[in-house]
Amino acid sequence: MAGSAERVRPRDGGGAAEQARHWRYAELPGVDLLRARYIRRTFVRHTHEHFVIAAIAEGVEVFRHTGADRRAGPGTLALVNPDTSHTGRAGAPEGWRYGAVYPAPDLVAAIAAETTELRGAPGFVRPVLDDPYSVALVHRVLRAAEDGNALAADTLLRVAVTRLLRLNGGRLPQRTVRTAGARTAVRARAVLEESLADPPSLERLATGLGTSPFALLRAFRDTYGMPPHAWLTDARVRRARHLLDAGTAPADAAVAVGFTDQPHLNRHFTRTVGVPPGAYQRERKNVQDLVAGPLVTSDAWQNGSPARA
């Protein structure tokens, strides 16, 4: 469930190619945009700070969500609430093609308050929704953003979010911290957030919290859906995205969040976001552009010299 401008020929030599573009449109603040086709791409378990509204146009995506594999095919939407761990991979030989919008939680809450009866922290109840009309709306949002049509993009986004909340909305459950294990997991997460660049070992982390390594491992996985080391990598990538958005060079961002070097960041960033950090940052720098940029080869990205497809 991720992406930003990639073109790769599949190993079978066919005409299809993996492509992705992840960008922002200045007239839709708080919203990330994506067009992508993936064939072999596999996304590791990760989370998003924003909602994921992914409209499947062709093929099938399979993603692990709340303990089960979910399948989203043509005419359906894959819906993921913020801070919810999930994976992503192809569910068919041809992969899957989709468009996605990633609205910020406060934007979704504002739309819900104005157009629905949902209050509190609204979210999606089911991770897959069969609704071709909403799929078309999402793709129309992307097309309007690419065309620089701010009025249409903003209008269609609000219509799409309202429809999805009415069809599949509910109040997000508050993360309860009732058990001793859950409280320990919350404390462990706070420690890791403060020490991304130099985290303690599992044993040192557990000892500092007054528990055992395996007890901490179980509690953390039960609370956050992934073990501490996987959460740490995900948090580093998320922090790196903020640094890249602010203009930090990828090599400097890598060191700042605790990766050994830029290739280390590239590997984990691509497995989570879908594209290398350099390509991601170039799209961010072009946020004022009203016309979509060209897809470029992944080799060109690595060399730092985009080439027209």
Side-chain angles (χ1 to χ4, degrees):
M1 225 68 64
S4 213
E6 177 174 42
R7 189 177 191 89
V8 180
R9 289 293 174 189
R11 294 192 182 107
D12 62 10
E18 292 194 338
Q19 303 175 349
R21 183 178 185 240
H22 188 298
W23 80 104
R24 284 182 177 172
Y25 176 41
E27 299 298 335
L28 289 180
V31 182
D32 283 356
L33 306 169
L34 169 70
R35 283 195 186 278
R37 177 181 183 179
Y38 294 121
I39 302 169
R40 300 181 309 275
R41 178 76 66 195
T42 298
F43 293 98
V44 298
R45 188 171 295 278
H46 64 284
T47 63
H48 294 276
E49 295 175 300
H50 289 192
F51 284 88
V52 179
I53 301 174
I56 311 300
E58 297 176 352
V60 178
E61 179 187 15
V62 176
F63 59 106
R64 190 77 177 174
H65 181 286
T66 56
D69 282 344
R70 316 291 180 170
R71 295 178 65 87
T76 68
L77 301 107
L79 304 169
V80 181
N81 294 319
D83 203 28
T84 301
S85 66
H86 61 286
T87 62
R89 60 181 173 84
E94 68 273 19
W96 77 105
R97 182 173 66 84
Y98 68 113
V101 294
Y102 300 77
D106 57 352
L107 175 58
V108 172
I111 294 173
E114 183 178 358
T115 63
T116 76
E117 296 183 357
L118 295 173
R119 295 298 179 265
F124 301 122
V125 176
R126 301 186 301 278
V128 177
L129 181 67
D130 186 350
D131 185 34
Y133 185 73
S134 292
V135 168
L137 283 173
V138 170
H139 286 281
R140 289 173 65 191
V141 171
L142 298 172
R143 191 175 307 117
E146 289 170 337
D147 291 342
N149 189 335
L151 181 59
D154 193 13
T155 300
L156 292 166
L157 175 69
R158 293 173 186 275
V159 170
V161 171
T162 298
R163 179 178 175 85
L164 291 172
L165 289 173
R166 289 175 176 172
L167 291 174
N168 188 40
R171 183 172 180 176
L172 288 178
Q174 297 299 307
R175 195 182 293 276
T176 57
V177 188
R178 296 175 181 171
T179 68
R183 288 193 292 271
T184 299
V186 170
R187 291 166 59 201
R189 173 172 168 160
V191 171
L192 293 175
E193 284 179 333
E194 293 299 320
S195 56
L196 287 185
D198 186 24
S201 67
L202 179 64
E203 183 175 6
R204 285 198 294 117
L205 180 60
T207 299
L209 297 172
T211 187
S212 71
F214 280 107
L216 174 59
L217 183 61
R218 286 192 299 270
F220 201 98
R221 184 185 288 116
D222 289 344
T223 303
Y224 296 112
M226 62 181 81
H229 70 276
W231 183 91
L232 178 69
T233 299
D234 186 47
R236 284 172 166 172
V237 171
R238 288 167 67 161
R239 183 75 61 82
R241 288 183 65 171
H242 287 292
L243 292 174
L244 294 169
D245 288 345
T248 303
D252 294 333
V255 175
V257 302
F259 290 118
T260 54
D261 51 26
Q262 186 173 341
H264 192 196
L265 170 64
N266 287 0
R267 182 166 65 254
H268 289 291
F269 197 96
T270 304
R271 292 174 66 197
T272 296
V273 182
V275 296
Y280 172 90
Q281 187 176 60
R282 281 193 290 276
E283 289 286 358
R284 276 3 199 202
K285 288 181 178 179
N286 294 332
V287 69
Q288 299 297 335
D289 293 352
L290 297 181
V291 179
L295 293 172
V296 300
T297 65
S298 59
D299 288 342
W301 284 351
Q302 301 298 335
N303 295 331
S305 56
R308 290 191 176 275

